[in-house]
Amino acid sequence: MNATAKILTYELQDVLRSRGVIAYAVFFLLLTEALLQFGSSTASVLLSLMNVVLLLLPLVSLVFGTMYLYNARDFVELLLSQPIRRPHLFGGLYLGLAVPLATGFLAGTCLPFLWHGVEAASHAQTLLVLALTGTALTFIFVALAFLIAVRFEDKARGLGVALVVWLFLAVLYDGLVLLALHMFANYPLETPALVLTLLNPVDLARVLLLLQVDISALMGYTGAVFERFFGSLFGVGVASAALLVWLAVPLFFGLRRFNRKDF
Amino acid sequence: MIPVSSHTLSIDGLHKRFGALHVLRGIDMQFEPGSVTAILGHNGSGKTTLIKTILGLVKPDAGRLFFDGQKLSADAAYRARIGYMPQIARFPENLTGTELLAMLKDLRGNPAALDEELLGAFALKNELAKPLRTLSGGTRQKVSAVIAFLFQPSFIILDEPTAGLDPVASRVLKDKIIDEREKGTTFVLTSHLLSEVEELADRIVFLLDGQIRFAGTATDLKATTGHPELERAIAHLMTEAAA
Amino acid sequence: MTRLLLTILLLTVLPAQAQDHLTVSPDGPMQSVAEALAQVAPGGTVVIEAGVYQEPPLVIDKPMTLQGQGDVILDGQSEHQILTITADSVTVRGLTFRNVGVSFIEDRAAVKVDDASHCLIENNHFVDTFFGIYLARTANCRVVGNELYASGETETKSGNGIHLWYCKNITVADNYITGHRDGIYFEFVEDSRVAGNLSERNLRYGLHFMFSDRCQYHDNTFQYNDAGVAVMYTEHVEMYRNRFAHNWGSAAYGLLLKDIIDSHIEGNVFEQNTIGMYAEGSNRVVIQDNTFRENGWAVKIMANALDNEFTRNSFVANTFDVATNSRQSYSTFDGNYWDKYQGYDLDRDGVGDVPFRPVRLFALLVEQNEPSLLLLRSMFVDLLDAAERVLPVLTPETLVDTQPAMHPPMQP
């Protein structure tokens, strides 16, 4: 077992005992359970969950992630005074938070469906896409949080930056896209729109979910272009690659910074 | 300067800046095996930065460090031979002391040779079962001291080791330091208690504005400054600097 | 005894004489359906026994019953029409018609009734018959319990399942139609009834009618049709308890209304269509107690549709509830249930105290610029919508439900 795996094991023990992650899982559990109890249909339950996954999940991952790393500073110092290489520690810390968060999300959203059952196969597929995109967003936004936390020494400043990043990716970016689409309304926009979608992980996740949920509304030309793209092996490859880039780039710069950082 | 292999640690032309702040300005030091070096200086003189540089927590801007004749690099293996007790001990909140010790042992590959003497001397057994966040500051200091000695390092760094310890625990720790030095362990410590320094240290290094203002024995210091008491001698160095 | 002998003699010696009951079988004395039809007396019955019959085009020109016994297949060899009925009071029952063959010149059908009345076409099977049942200038007929299968690949090479042209008082009930151009097609049909049919996976419309006043459509299911259902240029249409579902595509409608006047659409379910109901130039249509569920657009209503009343409908999990092309609204929405409604009901009378505006600003943006649809369910778009709801600037101010229901009515 290498050092990353060892650190991960102890981080898991630590994080799983902290109330935050438990509360996070319980939140998803109660939310899903309540939606399934009181929601009118599985489709509307999935829609509500989708909104939570696209908005709340990135926010929680960012805030949790930055706070976690700021709070772990003493622990980091302790471990760095041990014979442990920094990349191993960084990897252990990252997985030590991202894995429990993703697990909490998955358990919270999927378990209620286990005992309530899923109405139709199409809903099961939507749930699967929801679980996958939610997990991907968790890993991406924890990576962004780590980059922010190692980049900014000051906790308040780091938290502020995290909120701005969330606001931009989850809300403002779409405003800019809408503006661009209307400014260039006279040109064929399907391909540029596709590219713009790939550039924002939240948008990418949203469109992947749209293709599951709002299939009837998306049956127009735009929808056809997108469905053909994301329905093809090539499209799935590009979408996965885009998500991986969103994961790798913050992790790379975060680690580089972490390696050079003074504690 | 050519590193001398008989030195446990040798520091050569060390510089460190934090932004506009030039914290260490050319530090050259050697630490003999089995010696106790006290690093003194007022707040912000660069003591903690120097310690953290030795531990690799702070990356120097210029200069080289040699540990047992080997140049320090990104490789972390040398830290297996260093014990460290930070000024304020803070641990992962939700782990118990037992788990923390188990984790550290595990991370070092569960070495067979362990020094758990302090564990008994501090009577920590019962405390270790509790989550670390519930422990008092003094108890955490004790846990921290246990960790510093646990892996039988050849070089131990103690940052304000007795601050927060009760007199009994303080005595236990000081006796431990004296014992280990006899066995050849090298110590670096900082302290505000000059009696402690006088009792433990073979050598005093006085840092001022990131430079070594004085290095030598307590006797040398008293002779140089003309003050028979260490406290006055130190005060003399400080006022001299202010002038 | 002599009389019996005489009868036997007559029967064998004079086979050309008209008879009340004839049996056709592949290996019996009578092997030709055409011959039997020629010989049977008016009002008589021809029973065909199990077998495959490849005959020239058949014609029934007198009142009679043609009935199958067992698995009877009349094969048109992909070359010609199979059966033409030109007389009143004809019953065709229990037969399988197959292979009519495509024609671009004439509307070939398996069974064509031309200028006749009181026919009954019941419990037959149709397999690859181009047009299946074709009624022209016909009245008081019943088309019941037939199953029509076609495997057409393009609209132009396919015929309609049940096709009515200039007809009156016809009942089309409990049939199953699939794979045709239009499942059920009406043109100039009056006072007729379409009930209990299932029309699915047709290449164009599940149901398509125009100029067909005073007809009733109830308890039918139209689903998975390429373009859904389209009804046009008609008055006094009554559609009750039908199900319009799974009609997906850029030009697919659960129900397309064009110039439909003074009609009732009640108790229907519109589920998972690209557009649930589309209304253009339709006036005074009462739309009530319907359920719109999981459609892209539940209702698209154009500004030239006037005085329609949407009452007690239920809108659930649609991407867009109502879209329109104008800032004006000439139809009313009252007492509907909207799952997107976020108002409250202080006096607990089941009616929300705050009006609901079902047209989203985003629906309008999408009308102008289709690619913006990609921003669906984005937080930014939801914020825009919320702002517009509070202070309508671009969406129709008058298209508003002032008495939104707090709970969905009990409906199918």
Side-chain angles (χ1 to χ4, degrees), chain A residues 40-41 43-44 47 50-51 54-55 123 170-171 174-175 177-178 181-182 185 189-190 193 197 203 206-207 210 213-222 226, chain C residues 248-250 272-275 293-297 316-320 339 362 365-366 368-384:
Chain A
S40 48
S41 67
S44 63
L47 277 181
M50 175 177 156
N51 284 333
L54 293 178
L55 277 178
H123 288 150
V171 186
D174 290 340
V177 172
L178 190 65
L181 290 181
H182 276 78
L189 285 172
E190 279 71 23
T197 304
D203 269 14
R206 190 172 48 76
V207 168
L210 280 186
V213 176
D214 292 275
I215 191 74
S216 7
L218 285 167
M219 280 311 289
Y221 183 65
T222 309
F226 270 66
Chain C
W248 289 356
S250 50
Q272 294 195 13
N273 304 287
T274 296
I275 297 172
R293 191 187 296 133
E294 293 174 39
N295 301 286
W297 285 263
V316 177
N318 302 293
T319 304
F320 300 104
D339 68 340
F362 185 51
L365 295 178
V366 170
Q368 291 167 11
N369 183 331
E370 207 225 42
S372 4
L373 193 52
L374 280 176
L375 294 171
L376 190 59
R377 302 202 183 283
S378 138
M379 176 75 171
F380 183 82
V381 161
D382 291 347
L383 289 175
L384 269 190

Side-chain angles (χ1 to χ4, degrees), chain A residues 241-261:
Chain A
L243 288 175
L244 275 178
V245 168
W246 266 105
L247 182 66
V249 169
L251 274 184
F252 172 77
F253 285 104
L255 176 60
R256 205 172 71 157
R257 187 84 189 183
F258 188 80
N259 278 337
R260 297 172 181 178
K261 193 175 160 69

Side-chain angles (χ1 to χ4, degrees), chain B residues 7-11 29-31 54 65-68 72 155:
Chain B
H7 297 139
T8 307
L9 175 71
S10 135
I11 298 171
M29 281 175 98
Q30 284 79 38
F31 298 86
I54 297 171
L65 288 90
F66 298 89
F67 193 82
D68 285 345
L72 295 199
F155 192 95

Side-chain angles (χ1 to χ4, degrees), chain B residues 115 117-118 121-122 149 158 162 165 167-183 187 196 199-200:
Chain B
D115 178 357
E117 189 194 333
L118 280 181
F122 286 142
F149 286 90
L158 305 166
T162 55
L165 288 184
V168 178
S170 182
R171 190 63 252 164
V172 167
L173 181 57
K174 281 190 272 189
D175 287 346
K176 179 70 179 167
I177 295 170
I178 293 165
D179 281 0
E180 291 304 314
R181 186 189 54 182
E182 292 302 311
K183 294 179 194 161
F187 284 88
E196 192 173 287
E199 183 189 349
L200 296 173

